[in-house]
Amino acid sequence: CGNQTSTTSYFTIQDVKAPTPYCVNLSTALMSIPAGGTADDACVELWAIDFDAGSFDNCTADDNLLYTFTDDPSTVIEEYRSASMKFTCDDLAGGNPALLTLPIYVWDGCGNRDFCLVNLRIVDNNNSCGNGNPTGSTIAGAITTEQGQIISDVEVMNSEMTGTIDQEMQMTDNDGQFIFFGDAGMDYEITASKNDDYLNGVSTIDLVMIQRHILGIAPITSPYKLIAADVNNDEVIDGRDLVELRKLILGIYTELPQNDSWRFVDTDFSFDMSNPWAFDEANEVYDLASAMFEEDFIGVKIGDVNESVVPNLASGSPEMSTGNVIEIEFENTQVEAGQTVELAVKAEVADLYGYQFTLATPGLELVNISAGALNVSEANFGVFGDIVTTSWNNTQGVTTSESLFTMTFKSTVSGQLADILNVTSSITRAEAYVGSNLDIVDIALANSGQAAADYALMQNEPNPFRTTTVVGIMLPEAANGTMTVYDVTGKVISVIKGEYTKGYNEIELSKSGLGASGVLYYQFDSGDFTATKKMIIIE
């Protein structure tokens, strides 16, 4: 009859959530008095943003947040996104050094704010203020791996042992260094911690090495590697460590329930190899009287026995593929919704010591696993909806061209298996280890020797990332394509158009080029193909 009606509603979207402030304590010295100057020239100017240690907001980008010492946003100098404050002899209040407690306010783009309290220690090294020479000295050190690689972003805590003075915290800089100022005659304890990115440096190759150690085939001789192999932190290396580490690799764990991501050992500690776990995790300074510049630590990445951890942005990953590929073959059959499907995973492998990968199975629900040439069980798999992770290792190399194992699925979709399955690194990185040297090789999905997937958008690697990341793309033939990056609100951040070749292509994305951080989404379009994945940029 053509009847029609409509209604209009109006609503307001408003950001009322304050930023989350995250601050760091600092120590600083007053400048010396220049020739012809007065005590008023003994000062130091600090910016509120100097105390920031990674504050963030739900709507405003990190590099647009503002910082002040008071609840007055008009004190911000726009060029620096921060207010400044000058500290003079008056702030010493007759002492040397002085410990001040300051509020640091963090503001988002909508005027919401929150604050954190920080400790600022001010010292007059040159006695410009006439309060006497400073009654204390410097406590400093560096944190590196056993191989001497610097470890950045370690949280270092300086605690006065009587507990009468507040603790100070610093993050190691890009040189892995930290520095504190302590009061003369006091006792201090320096500790370090870092509990991010548990998977950094951890893979199935570490399971191989730990299992070889347990069986006495290739004993671990470094005390630091023994600490790394004790995954469950019970001061024994046994099968329980293998179980815990495999759960982390498979994505069942996002962190280790009984251990930290990193452990830190006093560099001067002398190990008893019969009990390497009785190590010092603190540097102690008694009756501070002079500068202590070598309060160093050795960092141990738990689970990383083959020393593949990336401890800082500049080091790069030592894990390199040989360029060889193990192709996983299967019979490309037609499946129907409601059908039970047996997927016999086959590969021609020689001297295989282990593998791991992620298998995307949209529309297929895993119901059973049967061993073949590889003695796998449910413990070798993780199931996350339509994604399956798997990890297997052995102390002896396996050579076979038979079925490795069989996976039984219940299908909720109809279509060709080749159009459904895809090997990725979205949760567990796809790689295998062959030969006595445990060379790392890639894993790819194949269908009777031919690539099973025509179009595919891979998970970016690494993810999360700090500087750059690489997105892999598979195309059945040369074609034009568009990569579009969005933020969580759907705002387009970057558009990359290009001509891509048949097969595997890569697109590199950088934090500086995107100008954003946090959770982002990237979408690739080519012809009728479109796919979207999530990535994370961290500070």
Side-chain angles (χ1 to χ4, degrees):
C1 298
N3 300 315
Q4 183 176 327
T5 187
S6 66
T7 183
T8 301
S9 298
Y10 298 92
F11 61 91
T12 300
I13 300 175
Q14 184 175 359
D15 176 15
V16 296
K17 183 180 182 300
T20 300
Y22 184 37
C23 303
V24 64
N25 299 321
L26 295 178
S27 296
T28 188
L30 298 181
M31 296 180 63
S32 59
I33 300 176
T38 66
D40 292 337
D41 295 315
C43 64
V44 62
E45 185 178 27
L46 298 178
W47 297 82
I49 198 171
D50 293 338
F51 296 86
D52 176 51
S55 305
F56 59 91
D57 184 61
N58 61 321
C59 292
T60 302
D62 297 352
D63 54 5
N64 287 327
L65 295 174
L66 306 178
Y67 298 85
T68 63
F69 289 99
T70 68
D71 60 357
D72 181 5
S74 67
T75 59
V76 170
I77 297 177
E78 184 175 348
E79 180 182 358
Y80 301 104
R81 298 190 293 116
S82 176
S84 66
M85 180 178 290
K86 183 178 290 186
F87 298 89
T88 67
C89 292
D90 292 339
D91 294 295
L92 290 176
N96 191 15
L99 184 67
L100 308 180
T101 300
L102 306 171
I104 302 297
Y105 289 84
V106 185
W107 304 76
D108 67 12
C110 294
N112 301 305
R113 59 153 172 83
D114 199 354
F115 70 93
C116 51
L117 293 176
V118 300
N119 293 325
L120 171 64
R121 189 184 294 271
I122 303 176
V123 60
D124 178 15
N125 285 324
N126 300 293
N127 194 23
S128 299
C129 301
N131 298 329
N133 291 322
T135 56
S137 193
T138 300
I139 305 172
I143 302 182
T144 65
T145 65
E146 182 184 6
Q147 295 74 41
Q149 291 180 293
I150 61 176
I151 308 176
S152 58
D153 297 328
V154 179
E155 183 179 288
V156 185
M157 191 70 70
N158 178 29
S159 305
E160 198 278 309
M161 291 189 188
T162 65
T164 58
I165 299 177
D166 290 339
Q167 295 179 325
E168 288 186 83
M169 187 274 286
Q170 287 186 9
M171 305 293 285
T172 55
D173 58 20
N174 291 335
D175 294 321
Q177 298 178 344
F178 62 89
I179 184 169
F180 297 100
F181 189 87
D183 295 326
M186 302 297 286
D187 302 331
Y188 293 92
E189 181 182 73
I190 311 297
T191 56
S193 65
K194 183 177 174 67
N195 278 313
D196 58 359
D197 199 2
Y198 274 76
L199 267 177
N200 187 0
V202 174
S203 66
T204 302
I205 198 171
D206 297 300
L207 292 174
V208 176
M209 299 178 72
I210 295 173
Q211 190 173 27
R212 284 177 160 187
H213 169 81
I214 294 172
L215 297 177
I217 298 172
I220 298 171
T221 57
S222 162
Y224 300 104
K225 291 181 182 179
L226 290 172
I227 295 171
D230 181 22
V231 178
N232 68 346
N233 196 25
D234 64 353
E235 301 186 359
V236 176
I237 300 176
D238 56 20
R240 288 170 291 189
D241 297 301
L242 299 175
V243 172
E244 293 288 280
L245 192 60
R246 194 182 304 279
K247 288 182 179 180
L248 182 67
I249 293 168
L250 292 174
I252 297 171
Y253 286 163
T254 56
E255 58 184 42
L256 296 172
Q258 296 172 285
N259 213 338
D260 294 337
S261 178
W262 288 82
R263 303 287 291 276
F264 297 92
V265 185
D266 179 357
T267 304
D268 295 329
F269 181 74
S270 180
F271 281 97
D272 175 1
M273 289 301 293
S274 65
N275 183 20
W277 297 283
F279 59 90
D280 288 342
E281 294 192 76
N283 274 327
E284 296 175 341
V285 177
Y286 293 96
D287 192 18
L288 180 65
S290 60
M292 310 289 288
F293 287 112
E294 297 182 352
E295 301 306 303
D296 302 336
F297 291 92
I298 298 294
V300 179
K301 179 63 182 66
I302 300 301
D304 176 30
V305 183
N306 75 325
E307 303 172 351
S308 61
V309 69
V310 181
N312 59 77
L313 296 180
S315 63
S317 174
E319 288 192 24
M320 298 294 292
S321 168
T322 61
N324 297 324
V325 178
I326 291 179
E327 292 189 331
I328 298 176
E329 299 180 359
F330 62 96
E331 184 180 354
N332 183 23
T333 60
Q334 173 72 25
V335 298
E336 303 296 337
Q339 178 183 353
T340 298
V341 182
E342 284 194 352
L343 178 65
V345 177
K346 299 179 180 180
E348 185 172 342
V349 295
D351 214 13
L352 177 69
Y353 281 82
Y355 75 82
Q356 61 178 44
F357 61 85
T358 303
L359 183 65
T361 62
L364 300 179
E365 178 186 351
L366 182 64
V367 295
N368 188 50
I369 299 158
S370 301
L374 306 184
N375 186 25
V376 299
S377 68
E378 292 183 358
N380 296 97
F381 294 81
V383 181
F384 306 89
D386 57 5
I387 295 178
V388 177
T389 58
T390 178
S391 163
W392 169 88
N393 62 280
N394 197 50
T395 56
Q396 301 295 327
V398 173
T399 299
T400 184
S401 59
E402 303 297 323
S403 172
L404 304 181
F405 53 84
T406 299
M407 309 169 73
T408 303
F409 295 94
K410 182 176 181 180
S411 179
T412 60
V413 297
S414 300
Q416 294 285 324
L417 277 180
D419 297 327
I420 298 173
L421 302 175
N422 189 26
V423 166
T424 75
S425 297
S426 60
I427 298 178
T428 302
R429 187 173 60 251
E431 61 186 30
Y433 319 102
V434 298
S436 58
N437 293 327
L438 302 178
D439 294 328
I440 301 175
V441 302
D442 294 327
I443 293 179
L445 198 62
N447 174 28
S448 301
Q450 301 298 320
D454 45 4
Y455 288 96
L457 176 64
M458 312 297 186
Q459 183 66 47
N460 64 300
E461 289 288 338
N463 188 46
F465 70 97
R466 293 178 184 271
T467 53
T468 61
T469 190
V470 173
V471 177
I473 302 164
M474 289 291 295
L475 297 178
E477 57 187 18
N480 295 327
T482 302
M483 174 72 75
T484 308
V485 181
Y486 306 86
D487 65 14
V488 292
T489 68
K491 177 184 175 182
V492 175
I493 294 177
S494 177
V495 177
I496 302 172
K497 296 182 178 181
E499 298 179 358
Y500 302 98
T501 61
K502 178 180 179 181
Y504 182 73
N505 297 263
E506 288 186 347
I507 297 177
E508 183 176 271
L509 302 173
S510 68
K511 179 181 177 181
S512 60
L514 296 173
S517 61
V519 177
L520 301 177
Y521 295 87
Y522 60 94
Q523 177 177 307
F524 184 75
D525 296 279
S526 181
D528 294 331
F529 174 77
T530 182
T532 303
K533 290 185 180 294
K534 180 173 70 174
M535 64 182 176
I536 301 174
I537 305 178
I538 57 178
E539 291 295 333

